[in-house]
Amino acid sequence: MAIAYIPYGAYWCSPFARWQGAFAHLHSVKFAAHVTRDAMAARGLTTDMLDYCAYGYTVIQPNIFYGAPWFSALIGAEGLSGPTVNQACATGPRLIATAAGEMALGNAGVALVAAGDRLSNGAHVYYPAPGGPGGTGSSEDWVLDSFNHDPFAKNAMVDTAENVARRDGIDTAEQHALVLHRHGQYRQALTDDRAFQRRFMADLDIPDAAFRKTTGTASGDQGIQPVDPDKMARLKPVREGGSVTFAGQTHPADGNAGMILCADAGRAAELGKPGGPRVAVLAVTQAREEKGFMPAAPIKATQRALDALGLTIADIDAIKSHNPFAVNDIAFARAFGIDWQAMNNFGSSLIWGHPQGPTGLRGIMELIEELEMRGGGTGLFQGCAAGDSAMAVVIRVS
């Protein structure tokens, strides 16, 4: 039994741009609203259809305190309210769970969930300490310090990948082989003038910081680096004695994504593309791994989802992952006895980048479209998040 329905085609994302690149000057909330307004208009969706909105982010921006109500007002839905959500890299699945929960309570029939993040130019925060020596406080770089220090596990994110690689015997050569394969899968999404991506991602006129004039055009993701096996082979691991190189991990990025969810399959059919398939959300689960082993957390989250639905991994027709490290996919595939080459057709965050909050929503869009191209089936999205946690989402396209 479904917990929510996604109108086919009623989802979108901006291109993703490598940090300090094409979108570095754009306020993430305003940018998300800018993209959402255009995307909804292009799909014939109006704000008066909505009775719930949740907005997700992970990197603070000026006035983020006002979160979802501000975002709603910016898209022209001044009477719409809802929560502002932050669950690190699992924010996308959490937004879906939040909307489904409101539907279960009878509080929402048609919901908009959206997420936007700008890892470029991350805030440097100062925390006063009047009781400290001389009243001197402490400071934090919101983005870089989050990458480099888990206050509980006492490690950087790259250390969690090293821990899993060491435990599972995953060497640099296999990580690099996976990266090369994932690049090839991503290139499939670029064929025929990006036919696959154009199912959910339009070309974007890049606005100036005031959103008054156009400064350029983004046709697809920005800043993706070409791969060269020989150059990759010469890279040294980030940690001495380790196995994870810079090639074996994703890049920080800027971007946003949005999606409509409905409590009723009939309403979803009305709002989706005519003649499109039914897209049902069957389960959303979460889990937490041993501290310091973040890339392995999706294994537990996935098993919980499968158990809840009475399924096995053999019942899953397509798998998408948020894979900030190549280690993620290798560990996951070994745990379930599957071939990692069969996962992440048409790309994944390892290649197209990681703006954190919207990453999972994009992965789920790509999963829906892959299943539609297959003629339907059951799909899994899974991804890790800060704090050695993870979420998994199971959908069925029929």
Side-chain angles (χ1 to χ4, degrees):
M1 184 175 182
I3 60 173
Y5 298 89
I6 301 170
Y8 179 66
Y11 38 79
W12 55 87
C13 79
S14 73
F16 285 1
R18 183 180 289 267
W19 64 340
Q20 302 308 128
F23 304 153
H25 61 294
L26 298 172
H27 187 293
S28 61
V29 181
K30 296 178 182 179
F31 185 29
H34 176 82
V35 171
T36 295
R37 285 195 305 269
D38 287 351
M40 290 184 64
R43 290 160 175 76
L45 302 169
T46 58
T47 56
D48 59 3
M49 299 172 174
L50 307 172
D51 50 29
Y52 178 81
C53 177
Y55 182 80
Y57 81 100
T58 71
V59 180
I60 59 173
Q61 298 276 271
N63 305 121
I64 194 65
F65 177 83
Y66 290 90
W70 184 28
F71 171 81
S72 297
L74 288 172
I75 66 169
E78 296 184 13
L80 199 62
S81 187
T84 308
V85 176
N86 180 344
Q87 194 168 345
C89 314
T91 295
R94 175 55 59 195
L95 286 165
I96 293 175
T98 301
E102 289 295 314
M103 291 171 182
L105 291 171
N107 294 335
V110 180
L112 166 65
V113 298
D117 265 324
R118 188 187 73 188
L119 274 67
S120 297
N121 310 316
H124 194 75
V125 184
Y126 178 76
Y127 301 99
T136 302
S138 61
S139 63
E140 175 183 40
D141 186 296
W142 190 272
V143 173
L144 293 177
D145 286 349
S146 296
F147 291 167
N148 293 322
H149 178 65
D150 179 334
F152 175 63
K154 310 297 185 187
N155 53 215
M157 288 187 177
V158 69
D159 295 320
T160 70
E162 288 290 5
N163 289 342
V164 174
R166 191 174 301 111
R167 183 184 70 184
D168 291 3
I170 301 171
D171 61 20
T172 302
E174 186 173 11
Q175 293 174 48
H176 284 181
L178 184 139
V179 172
L180 291 168
H181 186 73
R182 294 286 181 257
H183 266 271
Q185 291 171 305
Y186 177 76
R187 286 195 294 272
Q188 295 174 5
L190 306 182
T191 60
D192 299 326
D193 190 27
R194 296 179 40 247
F196 179 80
Q197 289 185 351
R198 289 186 187 281
R199 289 168 167 250
F200 56 89
M201 182 199 302
D203 289 348
L204 176 71
D205 289 335
I206 304 171
D208 66 357
F211 294 88
R212 291 175 182 161
K213 62 181 181 181
T214 297
T215 62
T217 301
S219 181
D221 302 311
Q222 306 287 296
I224 294 177
Q225 302 297 311
V227 290
D228 183 325
D230 293 332
K231 289 182 178 179
M232 291 170 65
R234 292 195 293 270
L235 290 174
K236 295 187 179 299
V238 176
R239 295 288 192 249
E240 186 174 352
S243 65
V244 179
T245 68
F246 282 117
Q249 51 191 300
T250 191
H251 58 269
D254 305 331
N256 54 74
M259 176 180 289
I260 302 293
L261 294 107
C262 297
D264 176 77
R267 185 63 170 140
E270 293 172 2
L271 298 182
K273 290 181 180 178
R278 174 183 292 185
V279 183
V281 182
L282 304 185
V284 183
T285 55
Q286 64 180 355
R288 190 172 183 180
E289 248 294 351
E290 175 186 355
K291 70 177 181 179
F293 285 81
M294 181 183 73
I299 298 167
K300 289 186 176 180
T302 295
Q303 192 61 59
R304 286 188 65 183
L306 295 175
D307 291 346
L309 296 170
L311 302 176
T312 70
I313 201 69
D315 297 310
I316 301 299
D317 299 299
I319 300 173
K320 297 289 283 188
S321 67
H322 161 48
N323 43 4
F325 300 98
V327 168
N328 285 62
D329 286 355
I330 299 169
F332 183 90
R334 290 186 184 182
F336 286 100
I338 61 176
D339 183 355
W340 53 251
Q341 294 190 56
M343 300 166 51
N344 286 313
N345 292 318
F346 303 103
S348 58
S349 60
L350 181 66
I351 307 305
W352 37 250
H354 184 29
Q356 300 188 169
T359 304
L361 289 179
R362 173 169 173 174
I364 292 166
M365 293 172 205
E366 294 200 359
L367 178 62
I368 293 169
E369 293 297 346
E370 180 181 348
L371 289 168
E372 193 278 335
M373 292 170 67
R374 292 171 58 101
T378 303
L380 166 72
F381 172 82
Q382 45 83 1
C384 65
D388 304 304
S389 63
M391 293 192 75
V393 180
V394 178
I395 63 170
R396 181 165 293 151
V397 174
S398 57

